């Protein structure tokens, strides 16, 4: 099984491999955030650098809750960099992606086929974005 840096092992590989093709935006780094996550505020402030590191891929910010504080936080994110699944989609995202993580900060790389191909638990920076993309093998 392939291992992804910062996420930890074969359990992650099993969870990520179970997602059907096309379920997520292709060639994207999904950055999961919530207002109560202090490091998430720093990641949003660093979006221009993260986006530069993503190259031809996109960095998309995904709110994990629907609270007013998180909505206010998302107001500072350019519309083109938001991915806001509806409640049903978010339940599926939680089942598919959050089973192997303790919480935020958390990011997932989505390959060209719309399937997760890497994950990172912890604060995301430009080097980690580039590594996630590279770990997807250009898919």
């Amino acid at each position: 099984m392939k291992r992804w840096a910062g996420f930890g092992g074969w359990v992650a590989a099993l969870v990520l491999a179970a997602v059907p093709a096309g379920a997520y935006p292709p060639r994207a780094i999904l950055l999961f955030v919530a207002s109560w996550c202090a490091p998430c505020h720093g990641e949003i402030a660093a979006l221009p650098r993260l986006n530069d590191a993503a190259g031809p891929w996109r960095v998309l910010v995904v709110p994990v809750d629907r609270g007013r504080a998180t909505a206010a936080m998302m107001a500072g994110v350019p519309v083109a960099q938001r991915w806001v699944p509806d409640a049903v989609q978010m339940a599926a995202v939680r089942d598919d992606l959050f089973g192997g993580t303790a919480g935020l900060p958390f990011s997932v790389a989505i390959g060209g086929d719309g399937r997760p191909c890497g994950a990172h638990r912890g604060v995301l920076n430009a080097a980690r974005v580039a590594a996630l993309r590279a770990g997807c093998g250009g898919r």
Side-chain angles (χ1 to χ4, degrees):
M1 294 260 157
K2 184 174 181 178
R3 292 181 62 97
W4 291 289
F7 190 72
W10 61 272
V11 172
L14 288 174
V15 169
L16 295 175
V19 178
Y24 299 104
R27 291 180 186 85
I29 306 293
L30 302 181
L31 177 63
F32 294 93
V33 302
S35 63
W36 44 261
C37 168
C40 297
H41 291 275
E43 290 174 323
I44 287 176
L47 270 177
R49 290 187 301 281
L50 299 177
N51 217 32
D52 288 346
W57 286 36
R58 303 175 290 163
V59 176
L60 298 176
V61 180
V62 185
V64 299
D65 66 22
R66 300 280 192 231
R68 283 186 303 213
T70 299
M73 181 176 159
M74 290 296 291
V77 175
V79 173
Q81 285 192 270
R82 299 178 196 173
W83 187 57
V84 184
D86 64 28
V88 172
Q89 286 176 309
M90 195 61 195
V93 167
R94 284 192 173 118
D95 287 346
D96 289 340
L97 301 177
F98 281 82
T101 189
L104 300 176
F106 182 64
S107 303
V108 176
I110 307 296
D113 61 359
R115 297 176 85 167
C117 53
H120 176 74
R121 186 170 174 263
V123 175
L124 197 62
N125 61 29
R128 291 181 180 130
V129 167
L132 277 170
R133 197 180 112 223
C136 290
R139 293 190 278 162

